[in-house]
Amino acid sequence: MRQALDLSARAGDGDDVPVGALVVGPDGQIIGRGVNERERTGDPTAHAEILALREAASALGRWRLTGCTLVVTLEPCTMCAGAIVLSRIEAVVFGAWEPKTGAVGSLWDVVRDRRLNHRPEVYAGVLEAECAAALRDYFRSNHRG
């Protein structure tokens, strides 16, 4: 999570909300990294999680990310939660809760919906205070979401 926090600072240097994500492969190596890039790229799907999943899939040469873990500083939204399920990520580790758009336990719980064909393990609130502080600092410095 500390590495994801370090990544998140890159997004926060610009206009993007400081969220960092990484994918850890089955062997424990980081195979995907991402930071929010929606403002920088003008791409509404450029969330940190999506970019990290794309990089991991490219590194492995396949879309199924079985045996991999996604680590992200903020609870994923519905789009990212859907991508997590579809990519067959084994586990999701996140820091700060997102009560307005969170889809891994806050507002919705997409990743653990029994109607879906894949349900990753979830580890929530890892370094929660530090992850939340990075987001609070960003929004206090006059950024708007």
Side-chain angles (χ1 to χ4, degrees):
M1 184 61 76
R2 293 216 185 275
Q3 290 183 43
L5 270 167
D6 290 344
L7 277 173
S8 74
R10 287 194 223 162
D13 287 344
D15 289 330
D16 281 292
V17 176
V19 177
L22 49 90
V23 176
V24 180
D27 63 356
Q29 298 297 309
I30 296 173
I31 58 171
R33 292 175 176 80
V35 297
N36 274 355
E37 295 183 1
R38 290 187 313 168
E39 299 299 330
R40 188 176 75 72
T41 64
D43 178 355
T45 69
H47 288 204
E49 301 94 306
I50 299 296
L51 299 176
L53 292 171
R54 286 178 184 159
E55 189 172 288
S58 179
L60 292 177
R62 64 179 193 267
W63 64 268
R64 284 185 185 89
L65 301 178
T66 52
C68 296
T69 299
L70 175 71
V71 179
V72 60
T73 57
L74 181 64
E75 179 185 2
C77 69
T78 52
M79 175 183 68
C80 294
I84 289 164
V85 170
L86 293 173
S87 69
R88 309 300 195 270
I89 283 282
E90 199 76 27
V92 178
V93 178
F94 72 85
W97 291 92
E98 175 45 279
K100 293 180 181 177
T101 62
V104 184
S106 286
L107 193 54
W108 297 286
D109 200 352
V110 172
V111 299
R112 291 181 281 206
D113 190 317
R114 294 213 173 271
R115 295 169 291 183
L116 298 176
N117 64 336
H118 177 74
R119 291 179 296 282
E121 293 291 321
V122 175
Y123 303 92
V126 176
L127 296 181
E128 180 178 359
E130 291 174 56
C131 292
L135 291 159
R136 257 193 322 275
D137 292 347
Y138 168 81
F139 285 109
R140 279 188 185 145
S141 64
N142 296 322
H143 288 90
R144 302 287 180 236

